[in-house]
Amino acid sequence: MATETVSSAPPAGLRESKKQETRQLISDHATRLFIAQGFEQTTIAEIAAAARVAKKTVTNYFPRKEDLALDHQDAFIGSLARTVTDRQAGESALAALRRAFTDAAKAAEPVAGFSGPDFAGMIADSPTLSARLRDLHDLREAALADALAEATGAARDDITPRTAAALLGAVHRTLFQRIQELTLAGQDNPRISATVTAAADSAFGMLEPSLADYATA
């Protein structure tokens, strides 16, 4: 009679769920310490101790210290490109991005810059995080350029998608910074949302003459 082999390893779905829980636990403790002590002053050893994991576990999940503070960076980098890829029929890239930003501002979404005063202060007080945030804006713009090139069938050496991405990325970068400034000034999200929604109308409107029909689905 054949005997069954019983595996002690948890199912793949359970293992992945456990990994996500551990990752979130480490991130939460890191953010708490960064806000309380400052990013530059907080060590990986302190984060590991707070999360009750080994230092190697922290660095396995977050190879760079900045990743612990900016742990949604992948979603941020791909946000504008996804908006263009998922634009509605008959909608230009500009119209899609304008609509998406307005929706994000009304919902006070973190990816648009609504991070709260503690988090915004942590970024502003850290040269390392401020520099990394600039890098993320650059990476987001590059991803947008790729999406625009694909949407328009542009040749590899065509500068048009990169130029359009630079213009659209600059508007998003400016609005993101404005949200951070108003947050640090003590304004609440509803007031900030109203302010930047009006500012977005003006900023995106400046691009209408050149990009109104660009990359229309």
Side-chain angles (χ1 to χ4, degrees):
M1 180 172 141
T3 59
E4 293 182 354
T5 300
V6 179
S7 173
S8 61
L14 185 60
R15 289 198 302 271
E16 184 59 32
S17 177
K18 183 62 177 177
K19 286 181 180 179
Q20 289 301 320
E21 288 177 6
T22 301
R23 188 182 195 281
Q24 190 61 53
L25 176 69
I26 294 170
S27 176
D28 290 345
H29 280 290
T31 300
R32 176 179 60 80
L33 288 171
F34 291 153
I35 289 173
Q37 303 177 173
F39 176 82
E40 316 292 347
Q41 292 74 29
T42 301
T43 67
I44 298 297
E46 288 175 317
I47 295 167
R52 297 187 177 183
V53 298
K55 284 178 61 177
K56 186 172 178 58
T57 301
V58 175
T59 54
N60 281 343
Y61 281 98
F62 301 94
R64 294 186 301 184
K65 187 179 172 184
E66 300 96 299
D67 297 338
L68 284 155
L70 304 168
D71 60 330
H72 297 296
Q73 55 188 291
D74 289 343
F76 179 84
I77 291 169
S79 58
L80 304 186
R82 282 193 303 275
T83 297
V84 168
T85 300
D86 298 340
R87 68 200 186 284
Q88 301 168 3
E91 190 174 42
S92 69
L94 173 60
L97 290 166
R98 188 174 193 167
R99 171 180 53 78
F101 178 84
T102 299
D103 291 345
K106 289 179 179 177
E109 293 181 2
V111 73
F114 290 85
S115 58
D118 291 339
F119 197 89
M122 176 189 73
I123 299 265
D125 292 340
S126 168
T128 302
L129 290 179
S130 295
R132 180 55 182 163
L133 184 57
R134 289 192 291 272
D135 289 342
L136 294 179
H137 279 291
D138 289 343
L139 290 170
R140 184 168 70 159
E141 182 182 308
L144 174 59
D146 289 341
L148 290 172
E150 183 174 348
T152 59
R156 184 178 295 274
D157 60 349
D158 190 341
I159 200 172
T160 305
R162 290 167 56 188
T163 303
L167 293 170
L168 293 162
V171 169
H172 282 88
R173 194 182 301 237
T174 301
L175 292 170
F176 187 100
Q177 182 61 39
R178 185 60 176 145
I179 292 169
Q180 295 283 288
E181 291 169 354
L182 295 173
T183 299
L184 291 173
Q187 294 190 18
D188 60 20
N189 282 348
R191 185 177 176 188
I192 295 172
S193 177
T195 299
V196 298
T197 298
D201 282 341
S202 175
F204 284 114
M206 294 176 68
L207 302 184
E208 287 283 352
S210 56
L211 296 177
D213 299 319
Y214 179 68
T216 298

